[in-house]
Amino acid sequence: MAQPTYSCLFAAIAALSLIACGQSEPAAPPAAGDASVPSTSLAADQAPAPTAEPASVPAATDGCSTTVGANDIMQYDTAQIVIPASCTEFTVHLTHTGQLPVGAMGHNLVITKTADMEAVNRDGAGAGLDGGYLKADDPRVIAHTGMIGGGERTSVTFPVSTVSDGAGYSFFCSYPGHIALMKGTVIVQ
Ligand code: CO
């Protein structure tokens, strides 16, 4: 006739164990200090709920990095890269969302002063695909990614101070002919 009592005990222990598991790592000996802990864990569980906001960050810039897409019809998916002035360094991820190989529809992302853009592009043509269509060690190039084909992804990180003096900066693709469509401005704000 002791069975119902044991059942109750087991149920109670099981419940305590569940509560214990529900909180944090210390799944140590149950029954010890259970009474006080669950209430704080409940409070902690409820606090994060209102924090479901940060999803509304602009798609273009996520903290100190951004992702620029490029496709099979010679286009970036944005004409502007906005860099928060609060960032020390900034990373641009370039994603080729197309399927064509690098030799047919290669894309990179090169950052220069807007005033240098056309000349850097012209001077890079002779470097060929192996040279990423950029003249080696061109001092006018502030930052650039590698040249990629469809399905590939690359990135580049640079100090924000290199583009924050208000001189006017742009990004473009140095694959021959692509600058006609593939270019945009770089803004620090
Ligand atoms: Co391109």
Side-chain angles (χ1 to χ4, degrees), residues 60-158:
T61 301
D62 177 17
C64 294
S65 69
T66 192
T67 298
V68 175
N71 62 22
D72 274 347
I73 53 172
M74 225 169 84
Q75 296 168 325
Y76 289 127
D77 64 1
T78 184
Q80 192 172 77
I81 293 174
V82 179
I83 302 175
S86 57
C87 295
T88 304
E89 290 191 317
F90 193 78
T91 298
V92 177
H93 301 288
L94 176 66
T95 302
H96 194 318
T97 59
Q99 297 181 328
L100 295 174
V102 65
M105 185 55 68
H107 299 312
N108 64 358
L109 191 146
V110 184
I111 297 176
T112 65
K113 278 184 182 167
T114 303
D116 292 335
M117 182 169 63
E118 294 290 345
V120 168
N121 182 62
R122 195 182 322 118
D123 295 347
L129 183 56
D130 287 346
Y133 292 110
L134 283 177
K135 188 174 146 187
D137 302 319
D138 189 330
R140 298 166 298 181
V141 172
I142 293 161
H144 71 92
T145 70
M147 189 73 70
I148 57 173
E152 296 180 319
R153 178 179 168 89
T154 184
S155 62
V156 63
T157 298
F158 51 92

Side-chain angles (χ1 to χ4, degrees), residues 8-29:
C8 285
L9 272 176
F10 286 140
I13 289 169
L16 283 173
S17 301
L18 283 176
I19 292 170
C21 289
Q23 27 168 301
S24 39
E25 296 79 79

